[in-house]
């Protein structure tokens, strides 16, 4: 009898430890998901940096939208130097040179040189509590195809707050636990990250790697390994074994399914459901390994004026445009193709087992297909540009295919957008530099006051004004300028002259004596109540989003007279 009871005891203990081990694996994955929420914030900032070519406008607003209860602060560090922190209050001391800092420099240089996301900590926060720093190195693509270090996107997460729901579920499920972590990828020293606070005896230990650090999760039942064992299991031994095996099978299947889901999430763009760049590179590598002699066509595309869509209609509408384009890609190229969203509004496609000539008509039809977004119940068109290249016709290595397609895409951009073009051997990479003059660059450095408004006497709504015009009006920024003018061009004209100026502009446009140009003089109304005589040189232009608009240069008559002889009132 003693032998039977001992055997039952050992069997029960083995079963309890087996279930505990499976729970340790499951909750370790949940803890990784918790920390991935912090990594996702740095990924979002990285996408903004890449899409804006190294800039993050309105950082405080962007970071505020990303803020959550387990985050202590969000930071960016161009060239490794922290320049912006959200929230600013109480975090001023965090603006340091990470690369050369005594306690942070080694791990930051390691993350930069290896191009991997790193975690450092836990450490005490000045605001109280404990935290871990997640630093994501960002690299920008250079015109020659190489990558250059831009800096870090950073988030400081609070512990154990980031794990609150997971560890609460673990303890409610009847387990004590202790989570440890190596302080950095360069150290074997460990510290406790989170714990139930009780001493663990012969716990189950599960180790996992995350952002270069090694984590250890120790788990054991709160009531000990012998809890619930008595003679009763002998009476229902057979049934218990069947139920236990069934339960273990279910748990194993759930864990395996969970792993597959996590693996898919790691290579999938969450917004569009296409592969992300990591998944794209993996699929491309596998394709080359399977058949390195296969013909294929690579395409690179983006949405024309995508930043304008986001600024004009909002990011929700912009996201709708991205998802719409992604669905079109699946419908048009889904069979025998690798589809990817690189980030922002850039997408890549590899058409396997085809040539440029065979794919040409399909690509052209896809590019010119009508596309719309909906805003306030109205449909608005949007367009794409696309470049494509063929392997092995245009390059010796499949890995160069997308770069060739990218050069063809920029050739399309230089010739008016909303079109597609195959790669040609005479395309030069320096074509990219011609695209560096965005509206922001031109308007900021234009030697004069510049304005854009809708060409409609009943709705002369102002759409844009550069810095020089805003300052000439006596306003501090564009929002102040819009408040002052009520967004109407006529409010910049002396009240006594408004009707005559409007009549003169449209009389010149209708007469077409100067093509689409008009010239008119009036007294410019400044915010301080004064008036300055100016010369208005305008041009009416057709815009796909607003219809007819006026592009206007405002010149101070007194300034012009001081430099040009013969200029008279």
């Amino acid at each position: 009898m003693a032998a039977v009871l001992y055997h039952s005891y050992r069997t029960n203990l083995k079963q309890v430890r087996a279930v505990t081990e499976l729970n340790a694996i499951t909750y370790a994955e949940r803890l990784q998901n918790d920390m991935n929420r912090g990594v996702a914030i740095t990924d979002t900032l990285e996408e903004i940096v890449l899409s804006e070519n190294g800039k993050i406008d309105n950082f405080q607003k962007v970071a505020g939208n990303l803020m959550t209860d387990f985050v202590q602060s969000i930071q960016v560090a161009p060239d490794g130097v922290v320049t912006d922190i959200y929230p600013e209050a109480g975090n001023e001391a965090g603006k340091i040179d990470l690369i050369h800092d005594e306690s942070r420099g080694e791990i930051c240089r390691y993350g930069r040189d290896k191009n991997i996301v790193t975690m450092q900590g836990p450490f005490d926060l000045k605001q109280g509590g404990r935290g871990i720093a997640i630093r994501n190195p960002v690299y920008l693509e250079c015109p020659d195809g190489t990558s250059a270090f831009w800096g870090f996107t950073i988030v400081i997460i609070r512990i154990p707050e980031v794990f609150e729901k997971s560890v609460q579920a673990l303890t409610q499920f009847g387990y004590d636990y202790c989570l440890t972590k190596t302080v950095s990828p360069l150290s074997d020293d460990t510290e406790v990250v989170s714990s139930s606070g009780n001493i663990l005896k012969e716990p189950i230990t599960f180790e996992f790697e995350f952002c270069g650090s090694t984590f250890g999760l120790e788990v054991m039942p709160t009531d000990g390994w012998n809890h619930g064992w008595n003679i009763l299991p002998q009476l229902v031994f057979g049934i218990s074994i069947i139920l236990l095996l069934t339960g273990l099978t279910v748990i194993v299947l759930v864990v395996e399914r969970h792993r597959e889901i996590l693996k898919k999430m790691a290579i999938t763009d969450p917004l569009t459901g296409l592969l992300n760049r990591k998944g794209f590179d993996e699929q491309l590598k596998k394709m080359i390994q399977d058949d390195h002699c296969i013909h294929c066509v690579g395409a690179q595309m983006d949405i024309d004026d995508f930043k304008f869509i986001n600024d004009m209609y909002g990011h929700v509408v912009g996201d709708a445009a991205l998802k719409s384009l992604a669905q079109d890609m699946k419908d048009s190229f889904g069979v025998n193709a690798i589809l990817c969203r690189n980030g922002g509004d850039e997408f890549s496609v590899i058409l396997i087992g085809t040539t440029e000539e065979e794919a040409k008509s399909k690509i052209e039809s896809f590019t010119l297909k009508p596309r719309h977004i909906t805003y306030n119940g109205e449909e608005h068109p949007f367009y794409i540009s696309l470049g494509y290249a063929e392997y092995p016709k245009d390059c010796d290595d499949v890995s160069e295919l997308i770069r060739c397609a990218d050069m063809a895409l920029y050739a399309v951009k230089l010739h008016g957008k909303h079109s597609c073009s195959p790669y040609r051997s005479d395309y030069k990479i320096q074509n990219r530099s011609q695209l560096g003059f965005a509206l922001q660059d031109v308007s900021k450095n234009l030697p004069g006051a510049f304005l854009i408004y809708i060409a409609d006497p009943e709705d002369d709504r102002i759409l844009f004004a550069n810095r020089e015009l805003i300052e000439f009006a006596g306003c501090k920024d564009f929002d102040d300028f819009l408040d002052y003018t009520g967004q109407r061009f006529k409010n910049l004209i002396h009240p006594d002259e408004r009707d005559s100026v409007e009549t003169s502009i449209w009389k010149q446009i209708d007469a077409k004596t100067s093509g689409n140009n008009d010239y008119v003089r009036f007294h410019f109304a400044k915010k301080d109540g004064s008036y300055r005589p100016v010369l208005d040189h305008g041009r009416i232009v057709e815009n796909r989003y607003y219809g007819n608009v006026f592009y206007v240069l405002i010149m101070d008559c007194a300034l012009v007279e001081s430099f040009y002889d013969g200029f008279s009132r």
Side-chain angles (χ1 to χ4, degrees):
M1 187 63 179
V4 173
L5 291 175
Y6 178 75
H7 176 74
S8 297
Y9 164 76
R10 295 300 300 176
T11 301
N12 179 76
L13 179 61
K14 183 182 292 187
Q15 292 168 355
V16 172
R17 290 187 71 88
V19 173
T20 301
E21 183 175 4
L22 289 171
N23 278 318
I25 294 172
T26 299
Y27 278 93
E29 291 180 341
R30 287 187 60 171
L31 296 174
Q32 292 180 68
N33 286 340
D34 292 336
M35 291 184 287
N36 258 325
R37 292 186 293 162
V39 176
I41 293 174
T42 69
D43 289 340
T44 299
L45 292 174
E46 178 185 16
E47 287 195 12
I48 295 174
V49 171
L50 294 177
S51 63
E52 297 299 323
N53 196 25
K55 298 179 181 178
I56 298 185
D57 295 328
N58 300 318
F59 170 79
Q60 293 295 321
K61 182 177 180 180
V62 171
N65 291 334
L66 296 174
M67 201 68 178
T68 187
D69 54 357
F70 64 84
V71 173
Q72 177 62 33
S73 67
I74 300 173
Q75 309 173 10
V76 288
D79 297 320
V81 180
V82 178
T83 58
D84 293 282
I85 302 178
Y86 182 90
E88 291 182 303
N91 290 306
E92 294 81 4
K95 294 185 177 181
I96 61 174
D97 184 347
L98 294 173
I99 298 297
H100 300 96
D101 184 73
E102 181 177 354
S103 61
R104 305 169 180 85
E106 186 178 18
I107 180 62
C108 289
R109 292 190 295 271
Y110 175 83
R112 176 197 64 186
D113 297 340
K114 297 292 185 179
N115 190 14
I116 60 172
V117 179
T118 59
M119 300 182 74
Q120 188 172 9
F123 48 80
D124 293 330
L125 298 171
K126 292 183 178 180
Q127 298 84 353
R130 305 264 283 168
I132 293 177
I134 301 175
R135 303 188 184 98
N136 184 2
V138 179
Y139 281 76
L140 297 180
E141 185 176 350
C142 301
D144 61 1
T146 61
S147 297
F149 176 66
W150 174 84
F152 295 102
T153 55
I154 304 166
V155 62
I156 309 297
I157 59 175
R158 298 182 64 87
I159 56 169
E161 287 87 341
V162 68
F163 307 122
E164 183 177 1
K165 292 183 179 178
S166 295
V167 298
Q168 187 179 42
L170 186 60
T171 55
Q172 289 177 349
F173 202 55
Y175 288 103
D176 284 331
Y177 74 95
C178 180
L179 178 66
T180 60
K181 171 189 174 295
T182 54
V183 295
S184 80
L186 304 178
S187 173
D188 293 329
D189 296 335
T190 62
E191 288 197 23
V192 175
V193 176
S194 181
S195 170
S196 59
N198 296 325
I199 298 175
L200 306 184
K201 296 179 181 180
E202 299 182 359
I204 294 294
T205 301
F206 179 76
E207 290 189 349
F208 60 92
E209 300 288 327
F210 190 82
C211 291
S213 296
T214 300
F215 287 79
L217 177 61
E218 296 181 337
V219 179
M220 72 167 290
T222 302
D223 295 329
W225 295 111
N226 298 325
H227 175 68
W229 183 85
N230 51 45
I231 198 64
L232 183 60
Q234 307 309 308
L235 304 177
V236 291
F237 185 74
I239 297 175
S240 298
I241 291 297
I242 294 174
L243 293 176
L244 180 62
L245 290 176
T246 302
L248 288 175
T249 301
V250 171
I251 292 173
V252 170
L253 292 175
V254 169
V255 170
E256 186 61 28
R257 175 60 178 164
H258 196 52
R259 285 176 175 170
E260 289 297 322
I261 292 173
L262 289 176
K263 181 179 179 181
K264 184 176 181 180
M265 288 174 59
I267 62 172
T268 302
D269 173 56
L271 178 66
T272 63
L274 303 182
L275 293 172
N276 59 21
R277 191 52 191 257
K278 178 183 177 183
F280 180 77
D281 290 341
E282 288 181 1
Q283 290 291 315
L284 186 58
K285 183 178 179 180
K286 183 178 183 300
M287 183 194 78
I288 297 171
Q289 290 173 341
D290 291 344
D291 187 355
H292 67 278
C293 296
I294 193 170
H295 282 262
C296 56
V297 172
Q300 186 83 342
M301 71 190 81
D302 63 19
I303 297 177
D304 296 337
D305 306 313
F306 182 67
K307 187 176 186 302
F308 175 87
I309 293 174
N310 274 338
D311 292 344
M312 184 62 200
Y313 305 121
H315 287 276
V316 172
V317 177
D319 287 349
L322 295 173
K323 289 190 283 189
S324 173
L325 178 57
Q327 187 59 51
D328 284 347
M329 292 169 63
K330 295 174 185 177
D331 295 340
S332 300
F333 307 124
V335 179
N336 213 24
I338 305 174
L339 310 178
C340 164
R341 179 191 175 200
N342 289 322
D345 65 320
E346 292 188 359
F347 295 81
S348 297
V349 178
I350 297 290
L351 303 178
I352 303 171
T354 189
T355 65
E356 174 190 313
E357 189 62 30
E358 293 168 344
K360 181 179 179 181
S361 60
K362 178 184 286 190
I363 289 175
E364 289 179 348
S365 175
F366 172 81
T367 304
L368 300 177
K369 175 183 177 180
R371 295 180 172 86
H372 298 86
I373 50 179
T374 302
Y375 179 72
N376 286 344
E378 296 183 2
E379 288 191 340
H380 301 272
F382 73 94
Y383 309 93
I384 68 168
S385 296
L386 183 149
Y388 59 102
E390 178 188 342
Y391 170 82
K393 182 174 74 71
D394 297 323
C395 56
D396 298 327
D397 190 331
V398 176
S399 62
E400 292 291 307
L401 189 59
I402 290 300
R403 192 168 75 88
C404 293
D406 191 50
M407 294 169 65
L409 169 61
Y410 276 87
V412 172
K413 293 291 189 183
L414 290 173
H415 292 85
K417 306 179 182 179
H418 190 207
S419 184
C420 60
S421 172
Y423 171 80
R424 295 293 176 258
S425 59
D426 58 348
Y427 286 165
K428 302 298 182 183
I429 196 68
Q430 56 262 32
N431 283 349
R432 284 174 172 271
S433 64
Q434 300 179 39
L435 296 172
F437 298 98
L439 174 62
Q440 182 178 4
D441 302 319
V442 175
S443 64
K444 180 179 179 181
N445 298 293
L446 190 71
F450 180 65
L451 180 73
I452 304 175
Y453 69 94
I454 295 176
D456 183 341
E458 303 302 321
D459 180 22
D460 57 346
R461 181 158 41 98
I462 295 172
L463 302 175
F464 177 80
N466 70 348
R467 168 54 57 183
E468 190 159 335
L469 181 64
I470 292 170
E471 292 177 349
F472 184 70
C475 299
K476 62 181 181 180
D477 54 35
F478 187 57
D479 289 337
D480 185 32
F481 178 75
L482 292 181
D483 288 341
Y484 161 60
T485 60
Q487 301 187 35
R488 304 298 298 274
F489 170 69
K490 64 177 61 177
N491 290 336
L492 293 173
I493 306 172
H494 192 290
D496 296 340
E497 301 174 341
R498 288 174 185 171
D499 291 341
S500 61
V501 167
E502 192 72 28
T503 300
S504 175
I505 289 174
W506 285 104
K507 183 177 181 180
Q508 293 179 65
I509 293 298
D510 293 340
K512 296 187 180 297
T513 55
S514 300
N516 291 330
N517 295 346
D518 70 84
Y519 303 85
V520 64
R521 295 180 60 146
F522 63 85
H523 284 81
F524 187 96
K526 295 169 65 71
K527 185 179 179 181
D528 62 7
S530 62
Y531 297 93
R532 294 283 293 275
V534 297
L535 174 65
D536 171 317
H537 178 193
R539 172 171 295 171
I540 193 168
V541 177
E542 173 69 23
N543 180 275
R544 67 171 64 165
Y545 299 105
Y546 295 104
N548 287 330
V549 298
F550 276 122
Y551 284 26
V552 180
L553 282 173
I554 301 291
M555 292 168 279
D556 187 341
C557 291
L559 182 63
V560 174
E561 287 176 346
S562 67
F563 284 97
Y564 294 95
D565 294 332
F567 190 92
S568 59
R569 293 184 180 276

